Amino acid sequence: EVQLVESGGGLVQGGGSLRLSCAASGFTIDDYATFNDYVIGWFRQAPGKEREGVSCIRNSDGRTYYADSVKGRFTISSDSAKNTVSLQMNSLKPEDTAVYYCAAVNAPFWNSKIITTPSFYDYWGQGTQVTVSS
Protein backbone atom coordinates (compact mmCIF):
# COMPACT_ATOMS: atom_id res chain seq x y z
CA GLU A 1 0.00 0.00 0.00
CA VAL A 2 2.72 2.47 0.96
CA GLN A 3 4.97 3.71 -1.83
CA LEU A 4 8.21 5.65 -1.44
CA VAL A 5 9.97 7.72 -4.08
CA GLU A 6 13.41 9.26 -3.57
CA SER A 7 14.65 12.32 -5.40
CA GLY A 8 17.42 14.90 -5.18
CA GLY A 9 20.49 12.84 -5.95
CA GLY A 10 23.17 14.04 -8.30
CA LEU A 11 26.82 14.85 -8.80
CA VAL A 12 28.59 17.31 -6.52
CA GLN A 13 32.16 18.13 -5.66
CA GLY A 14 33.66 17.40 -2.27
CA GLY A 15 32.45 19.88 0.33
CA GLY A 16 29.21 20.47 -1.53
CA SER A 17 25.63 19.82 -0.48
CA LEU A 18 22.61 17.88 -1.64
CA ARG A 19 19.10 17.55 -0.27
CA LEU A 20 17.36 14.22 -0.74
CA SER A 21 13.61 13.79 -0.44
CA CYS A 22 11.50 10.72 0.22
CA ALA A 23 7.86 11.16 -0.73
CA ALA A 24 5.44 8.68 0.78
CA SER A 25 2.05 7.83 -0.66
CA GLY A 26 -0.61 5.16 -0.44
CA PHE A 27 -2.35 6.38 2.70
CA THR A 28 -6.15 6.62 2.73
CA ILE A 29 -8.63 8.32 5.02
CA ASP A 30 -9.59 5.03 6.66
CA ASP A 31 -6.05 3.76 7.18
CA TYR A 32 -5.28 2.89 10.76
CA ALA A 33 -1.64 3.71 10.13
CA THR A 34 -0.72 7.09 8.66
CA PHE A 35 2.54 8.78 7.81
CA ASN A 36 2.83 9.89 11.44
CA ASP A 37 2.96 6.26 12.63
CA TYR A 38 6.06 5.33 10.65
CA VAL A 39 9.78 5.21 11.18
CA ILE A 40 11.60 6.38 8.05
CA GLY A 41 15.18 5.32 7.44
CA TRP A 42 17.77 6.46 4.94
CA PHE A 43 20.18 3.79 3.77
CA ARG A 44 22.99 3.85 1.27
CA GLN A 45 24.79 1.20 -0.71
CA ALA A 46 28.08 1.64 -2.51
CA PRO A 47 29.33 -0.86 -5.10
CA GLY A 48 30.55 -4.03 -3.43
CA LYS A 49 29.32 -2.90 -0.01
CA GLU A 50 26.39 -3.89 2.16
CA ARG A 51 23.46 -1.56 2.60
CA GLU A 52 24.26 0.84 5.43
CA GLY A 53 21.91 2.72 7.73
CA VAL A 54 22.61 6.46 7.51
CA SER A 55 19.84 8.26 9.36
CA CYS A 56 16.37 7.54 10.72
CA ILE A 57 13.45 9.53 12.08
CA ARG A 58 10.37 8.53 14.03
CA ASN A 59 7.58 10.69 12.66
CA SER A 60 5.43 10.54 15.80
CA ASP A 61 7.89 12.48 17.94
CA GLY A 62 10.77 13.44 15.66
CA ARG A 63 13.35 11.22 17.33
CA THR A 64 16.40 10.86 15.10
CA TYR A 65 19.40 8.66 14.59
CA TYR A 66 22.62 9.35 12.70
CA ALA A 67 25.45 7.05 11.82
CA ASP A 68 28.76 8.19 13.26
CA SER A 69 30.13 8.75 9.79
CA VAL A 70 27.56 11.47 9.02
CA LYS A 71 27.01 13.15 12.38
CA GLY A 72 27.34 16.89 12.13
CA ARG A 73 27.04 16.82 8.34
CA PHE A 74 23.62 15.30 7.62
CA THR A 75 20.24 16.39 8.96
CA ILE A 76 17.02 14.41 8.67
CA SER A 77 13.61 16.06 8.87
CA SER A 78 9.97 15.14 8.39
CA ASP A 79 7.08 17.12 6.92
CA SER A 80 3.79 15.45 7.82
CA ALA A 81 1.76 17.87 5.68
CA LYS A 82 3.57 16.61 2.59
CA ASN A 83 4.25 13.05 3.77
CA THR A 84 7.89 13.69 3.01
CA VAL A 85 11.17 13.00 4.78
CA SER A 86 14.26 14.89 3.71
CA LEU A 87 17.96 14.33 4.23
CA GLN A 88 20.08 17.45 4.03
CA MET A 89 23.66 16.44 3.26
CA ASN A 90 26.40 19.01 3.78
CA SER A 91 30.17 18.83 3.61
CA LEU A 92 29.94 15.84 1.33
CA LYS A 93 32.92 13.54 0.94
CA PRO A 94 33.82 11.09 -1.82
CA GLU A 95 33.10 8.22 0.58
CA ASP A 96 29.48 9.37 0.68
CA THR A 97 29.10 8.21 -2.91
CA ALA A 98 26.37 5.57 -3.05
CA VAL A 99 22.81 4.85 -4.03
CA TYR A 100 20.61 6.27 -1.29
CA TYR A 101 17.34 4.56 -0.39
CA CYS A 102 14.53 5.50 1.93
CA ALA A 103 12.55 2.88 3.78
CA ALA A 104 9.49 2.85 6.04
CA VAL A 105 8.05 0.65 8.75
CA ASN A 106 5.01 1.05 10.99
CA ALA A 107 6.79 0.58 14.29
CA PRO A 108 6.75 2.72 17.43
CA PHE A 109 9.71 0.75 18.77
CA TRP A 110 13.08 2.50 18.70
CA ASN A 111 16.42 0.76 18.95
CA SER A 112 19.54 1.79 17.06
CA LYS A 113 20.42 -1.77 16.12
CA ILE A 114 16.94 -2.54 14.81
CA ILE A 115 16.19 0.67 12.94
CA THR A 116 19.49 0.41 11.04
CA THR A 117 18.79 -3.16 9.94
CA PRO A 118 17.36 -3.25 6.40
CA SER A 119 15.24 -6.35 7.07
CA PHE A 120 13.29 -4.39 9.69
CA TYR A 121 11.65 -2.23 7.02
CA ASP A 122 8.55 -3.15 5.04
CA TYR A 123 8.65 -0.56 2.25
CA TRP A 124 11.49 0.72 0.08
CA GLY A 125 12.01 3.35 -2.55
CA GLN A 126 13.85 2.81 -5.80
CA GLY A 127 16.97 4.71 -4.76
CA THR A 128 18.72 7.84 -5.96
CA GLN A 129 22.38 8.10 -6.94
CA VAL A 130 24.69 10.43 -5.05
CA THR A 131 28.16 10.93 -6.49
CA VAL A 132 30.77 13.10 -4.78
CA SER A 133 33.90 13.94 -6.72
CA SER A 134 37.29 14.74 -5.25
Side-chain angles (χ1 to χ4, degrees), residues 5-133:
V5 179
E6 302 96 334
S7 62
L11 172 65
V12 298
Q13 67 177 8
S17 298
L18 284 173
R19 186 176 181 87
L20 306 183
S21 295
C22 174
S25 62
F27 306 109
T28 62
I29 193 170
D30 59 347
D31 280 338
Y32 175 78
T34 66
F35 180 75
N36 189 62
D37 298 310
Y38 282 80
V39 171
I40 307 295
W42 281 100
F43 293 77
R44 66 187 182 188
Q45 189 164 21
K49 303 293 185 180
E50 294 185 352
R51 194 163 296 187
E52 172 192 18
V54 176
S55 183
C56 306
I57 187 166
R58 185 163 64 185
N59 289 340
S60 60
D61 61 1
R63 186 171 182 176
T64 59
Y65 163 86
Y66 297 95
D68 288 342
S69 60
V70 306
K71 285 181 180 177
R73 300 189 297 120
F74 291 11
T75 303
I76 192 169
S77 60
S78 180
D79 185 345
S80 61
K82 296 182 172 62
N83 288 353
T84 299
V85 170
S86 297
L87 185 68
Q88 179 67 45
M89 306 186 296
N90 298 327
S91 301
L92 284 162
K93 306 174 181 179
E95 54 260 43
D96 295 317
T97 296
V99 177
Y100 283 70
Y101 301 87
C102 65
V105 61
N106 179 15
F109 184 77
W110 186 271
N111 177 277
S112 61
K113 294 290 186 181
I114 296 175
I115 63 175
T116 56
T117 300
S119 62
F120 179 62
Y121 291 83
D122 294 323
Y123 308 101
W124 289 85
Q126 84 289 350
T128 185
Q129 177 71 47
V130 172
T131 303
V132 184
S133 63

